[in-house]
Short mmCIF file of all heavy atoms in Angstrom, two decimals:
data_model
loop_
_atom_site.label_atom_id
_atom_site.label_comp_id
_atom_site.label_asym_id
_atom_site.label_seq_id
_atom_site.Cartn_x
_atom_site.Cartn_y
_atom_site.Cartn_z
N ARG A 1 72.07 -58.71 167.71
CA ARG A 1 72.29 -59.66 168.81
C ARG A 1 71.25 -60.78 168.79
O ARG A 1 71.56 -61.94 169.04
CB ARG A 1 72.25 -58.92 170.15
CG ARG A 1 72.64 -59.79 171.32
CD ARG A 1 72.75 -58.97 172.58
NE ARG A 1 71.67 -59.37 173.46
CZ ARG A 1 71.25 -58.69 174.50
NH1 ARG A 1 71.81 -57.53 174.81
NH2 ARG A 1 70.28 -59.13 175.25
N GLY A 2 70.01 -60.44 168.49
CA GLY A 2 68.95 -61.45 168.39
C GLY A 2 69.16 -62.39 167.22
O GLY A 2 68.92 -63.60 167.33
N ARG A 3 69.62 -61.85 166.10
CA ARG A 3 69.89 -62.69 164.93
C ARG A 3 71.07 -63.63 165.17
O ARG A 3 71.17 -64.68 164.53
CB ARG A 3 70.12 -61.82 163.69
CG ARG A 3 68.85 -61.12 163.21
CD ARG A 3 69.01 -60.45 161.85
NE ARG A 3 70.14 -59.53 161.78
CZ ARG A 3 70.10 -58.24 162.13
NH1 ARG A 3 68.97 -57.72 162.59
NH2 ARG A 3 71.16 -57.48 162.03
N ARG A 4 71.95 -63.28 166.10
CA ARG A 4 73.05 -64.18 166.48
C ARG A 4 72.60 -65.21 167.52
O ARG A 4 73.01 -66.36 167.47
CB ARG A 4 74.23 -63.38 167.03
CG ARG A 4 75.00 -62.59 165.99
CD ARG A 4 76.29 -62.00 166.55
NE ARG A 4 76.08 -61.17 167.73
CZ ARG A 4 75.83 -59.86 167.72
NH1 ARG A 4 75.76 -59.21 166.56
NH2 ARG A 4 75.67 -59.18 168.84
N ALA A 5 71.78 -64.79 168.47
CA ALA A 5 71.38 -65.67 169.57
C ALA A 5 70.41 -66.77 169.13
O ALA A 5 70.49 -67.91 169.60
CB ALA A 5 70.75 -64.85 170.70
N ALA A 6 69.49 -66.45 168.23
CA ALA A 6 68.48 -67.43 167.83
C ALA A 6 69.09 -68.70 167.23
O ALA A 6 68.70 -69.81 167.60
CB ALA A 6 67.45 -66.79 166.91
N PRO A 7 70.05 -68.61 166.31
CA PRO A 7 70.65 -69.84 165.79
C PRO A 7 71.42 -70.65 166.84
O PRO A 7 71.45 -71.88 166.79
CB PRO A 7 71.60 -69.34 164.69
CG PRO A 7 71.04 -68.02 164.28
CD PRO A 7 70.49 -67.44 165.54
N VAL A 8 72.02 -69.97 167.80
CA VAL A 8 72.69 -70.67 168.90
C VAL A 8 71.66 -71.46 169.70
O VAL A 8 71.88 -72.63 170.05
CB VAL A 8 73.46 -69.67 169.80
CG1 VAL A 8 73.99 -70.34 171.05
CG2 VAL A 8 74.60 -69.02 169.01
N MET A 9 70.53 -70.83 169.99
CA MET A 9 69.46 -71.54 170.70
C MET A 9 68.93 -72.70 169.86
O MET A 9 68.63 -73.77 170.39
CB MET A 9 68.32 -70.58 171.04
CG MET A 9 68.64 -69.60 172.16
SD MET A 9 69.08 -70.43 173.72
CE MET A 9 67.53 -71.20 174.14
N ALA A 10 68.83 -72.48 168.56
CA ALA A 10 68.33 -73.54 167.68
C ALA A 10 69.20 -74.79 167.78
O ALA A 10 68.68 -75.91 167.85
CB ALA A 10 68.27 -73.05 166.23
N GLU A 11 70.51 -74.61 167.81
CA GLU A 11 71.40 -75.78 167.91
C GLU A 11 71.22 -76.49 169.25
O GLU A 11 71.23 -77.72 169.31
CB GLU A 11 72.85 -75.37 167.69
CG GLU A 11 73.13 -74.98 166.25
CD GLU A 11 72.64 -76.01 165.25
OE1 GLU A 11 72.97 -77.21 165.38
OE2 GLU A 11 71.89 -75.62 164.32
N ALA A 12 71.05 -75.73 170.32
CA ALA A 12 70.81 -76.34 171.64
C ALA A 12 69.48 -77.08 171.66
O ALA A 12 69.36 -78.16 172.24
CB ALA A 12 70.86 -75.28 172.72
N LEU A 13 68.47 -76.52 171.01
CA LEU A 13 67.16 -77.17 170.96
C LEU A 13 67.20 -78.41 170.08
O LEU A 13 66.57 -79.42 170.40
CB LEU A 13 66.10 -76.18 170.47
CG LEU A 13 65.85 -75.01 171.41
CD1 LEU A 13 64.93 -73.98 170.76
CD2 LEU A 13 65.29 -75.47 172.74
N ARG A 14 67.95 -78.36 169.00
CA ARG A 14 68.08 -79.54 168.13
C ARG A 14 68.67 -80.71 168.94
O ARG A 14 68.25 -81.85 168.81
CB ARG A 14 68.97 -79.24 166.93
CG ARG A 14 69.09 -80.44 165.99
CD ARG A 14 70.19 -80.29 164.94
NE ARG A 14 70.30 -79.01 164.32
CZ ARG A 14 69.67 -78.64 163.20
NH1 ARG A 14 68.84 -79.46 162.61
NH2 ARG A 14 69.88 -77.45 162.68
N ALA A 15 69.64 -80.42 169.79
CA ALA A 15 70.27 -81.46 170.61
C ALA A 15 69.28 -82.09 171.58
O ALA A 15 69.47 -83.23 172.00
CB ALA A 15 71.45 -80.88 171.36
N GLN A 16 68.22 -81.38 171.93
CA GLN A 16 67.21 -81.91 172.86
C GLN A 16 66.21 -82.83 172.17
O GLN A 16 65.42 -83.48 172.84
CB GLN A 16 66.46 -80.75 173.52
CG GLN A 16 67.36 -79.81 174.27
CD GLN A 16 67.05 -79.76 175.74
OE1 GLN A 16 66.00 -80.17 176.18
NE2 GLN A 16 68.00 -79.27 176.50
N ALA A 17 66.20 -82.84 170.83
CA ALA A 17 65.30 -83.70 170.04
C ALA A 17 63.84 -83.51 170.45
O ALA A 17 63.11 -84.46 170.69
CB ALA A 17 65.72 -85.16 170.16
N LEU A 18 63.42 -82.26 170.52
CA LEU A 18 62.04 -81.93 170.88
C LEU A 18 61.15 -82.01 169.64
O LEU A 18 61.59 -81.71 168.54
CB LEU A 18 61.97 -80.52 171.46
CG LEU A 18 62.91 -80.25 172.63
CD1 LEU A 18 62.93 -78.77 172.97
CD2 LEU A 18 62.50 -81.07 173.83
N ALA A 19 59.90 -82.40 169.85
CA ALA A 19 58.97 -82.51 168.72
C ALA A 19 57.59 -82.01 169.14
O ALA A 19 56.68 -82.80 169.39
CB ALA A 19 58.90 -83.95 168.24
N PRO A 20 57.42 -80.68 169.23
CA PRO A 20 56.09 -80.18 169.59
C PRO A 20 55.06 -80.56 168.53
O PRO A 20 55.38 -80.63 167.33
CB PRO A 20 56.28 -78.66 169.66
CG PRO A 20 57.51 -78.37 168.87
CD PRO A 20 58.36 -79.61 168.95
N GLY A 21 53.84 -80.81 168.97
CA GLY A 21 52.78 -81.15 168.04
C GLY A 21 52.25 -79.95 167.29
O GLY A 21 51.66 -80.08 166.22
N LEU A 22 52.47 -78.76 167.86
CA LEU A 22 51.99 -77.52 167.25
C LEU A 22 52.86 -76.37 167.75
O LEU A 22 53.27 -76.37 168.91
CB LEU A 22 50.53 -77.26 167.66
CG LEU A 22 49.88 -75.95 167.21
CD1 LEU A 22 49.75 -75.89 165.68
CD2 LEU A 22 48.52 -75.78 167.88
N VAL A 23 53.11 -75.42 166.88
CA VAL A 23 53.81 -74.19 167.26
C VAL A 23 52.84 -73.05 167.08
O VAL A 23 52.22 -72.90 166.02
CB VAL A 23 55.07 -73.96 166.41
CG1 VAL A 23 55.71 -72.61 166.75
CG2 VAL A 23 56.06 -75.09 166.61
N LEU A 24 52.69 -72.26 168.12
CA LEU A 24 51.86 -71.05 168.10
C LEU A 24 52.80 -69.86 168.24
O LEU A 24 53.54 -69.77 169.22
CB LEU A 24 50.86 -71.07 169.25
CG LEU A 24 49.88 -72.23 169.26
CD1 LEU A 24 49.07 -72.22 170.55
CD2 LEU A 24 48.97 -72.16 168.04
N CYS A 25 52.77 -68.98 167.27
CA CYS A 25 53.72 -67.87 167.24
C CYS A 25 52.96 -66.55 167.19
O CYS A 25 52.01 -66.38 166.42
CB CYS A 25 54.62 -67.99 166.01
SG CYS A 25 55.91 -66.74 165.88
N SER A 26 53.40 -65.61 168.00
CA SER A 26 52.89 -64.25 167.94
C SER A 26 53.11 -63.69 166.54
O SER A 26 54.08 -64.04 165.86
CB SER A 26 53.63 -63.39 168.97
OG SER A 26 53.47 -62.02 168.71
N THR A 27 52.25 -62.79 166.14
CA THR A 27 52.40 -62.15 164.83
C THR A 27 53.41 -61.01 164.84
O THR A 27 53.72 -60.45 163.79
CB THR A 27 51.05 -61.60 164.33
OG1 THR A 27 50.53 -60.71 165.32
CG2 THR A 27 50.07 -62.72 164.03
#
């Protein structure tokens, strides 16, 4: 379910044209 949801979110985020200066990700 997570592997399906993440790409859907990615497309919605792409439409927002966001450009963070840095990404901090948990390990």
Side-chain angles (χ1 to χ4, degrees):
R1 187 173 112 196
R3 290 190 306 273
R4 288 189 305 270
V8 171
M9 287 301 294
E11 290 310 308
L13 294 172
R14 182 192 318 269
Q16 301 242 343
L18 306 170
L22 175 66
V23 175
L24 300 172
C25 184
S26 163
T27 56

